[in-house]
């Protein structure tokens, strides 16, 4: 109605989860004008952002790390077995190895090859 002042403001929702865990993603939120008289143009021309960049950190790279072979468990023949520890590890920015188990909090990150 003419002469009625409109109380208008932008209302924003919570940010969504980022679209990527690393190497840059996008998060989104709902933005609405709370003007009952003119919900399209009542809040002005500069709404808050509906998307934003997130998780800019570089994704880790992975490499196999293997230990030394154990001694053969038999002294002769072809039926002996030797073992070594093989791990998939994330290589950090400083090129230090971090065990995948440390990243995932798992006790099952070791693979034994025969």
């Amino acid at each position: 109605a003419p002469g009625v002042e409109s109380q208008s403001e932008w209302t924003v929702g919570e940010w969504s989860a980022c679209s990527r865990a690393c190497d840059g993603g996008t998060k989104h939120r709902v933005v609405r004008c709370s003007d009952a008289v003119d919900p399209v143009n009542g809040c002005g021309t500069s709404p808050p952002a509906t998307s934003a960049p997130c998780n800019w950190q570089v994704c880790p790279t992975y490499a196999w790390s293997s230990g030394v072979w154990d001694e053969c468990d038999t002294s002769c023949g072809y039926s002996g077995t030797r073992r070594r520890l093989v791990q998939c590890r994330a290589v950090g920015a400083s090129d230090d190895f971090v065990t995948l188990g440390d990243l995932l909090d798992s006790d099952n990150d070791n693979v034994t090859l025969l």
Side-chain angles (χ1 to χ4, degrees), residues 8-27:
S8 60
E9 64 182 358
W10 292 107
T11 57
V12 295
E14 295 292 320
W15 286 109
S16 68
C18 192
S19 63
R20 295 187 55 133
C22 50
D23 280 347
T26 306
K27 59 185 178 178

Side-chain angles (χ1 to χ4, degrees), residues 14-20 24-31 48-56:
E14 295 292 320
W15 286 109
S16 68
C18 192
S19 63
R20 295 187 55 133
T26 306
K27 59 185 178 178
H28 301 277
R29 66 180 175 183
V30 174
V31 175
T50 58
S51 63
C54 53
N55 292 344
W56 286 75

Side-chain angles (χ1 to χ4, degrees), residues 12-92:
V12 295
E14 295 292 320
W15 286 109
S16 68
C18 192
S19 63
R20 295 187 55 133
C22 50
D23 280 347
T26 306
K27 59 185 178 178
H28 301 277
R29 66 180 175 183
V30 174
V31 175
R32 290 192 176 100
C33 177
S34 64
D35 189 323
V37 177
D38 187 356
V40 175
N41 300 311
C43 287
T45 58
S46 298
T50 58
S51 63
C54 53
N55 292 344
W56 286 75
Q57 71 275 15
V58 175
C59 287
T61 54
Y62 296 92
W64 288 105
S65 170
S66 57
V68 295
W69 288 102
D70 289 343
E71 292 295 320
C72 187
D73 62 1
T74 60
S75 60
C76 62
Y78 295 102
S79 62
T81 301
R82 294 175 57 183
R83 298 174 188 260
R84 67 177 175 170
L85 177 65
V86 177
Q87 295 176 305
C88 178
R89 295 178 163 208
V91 180

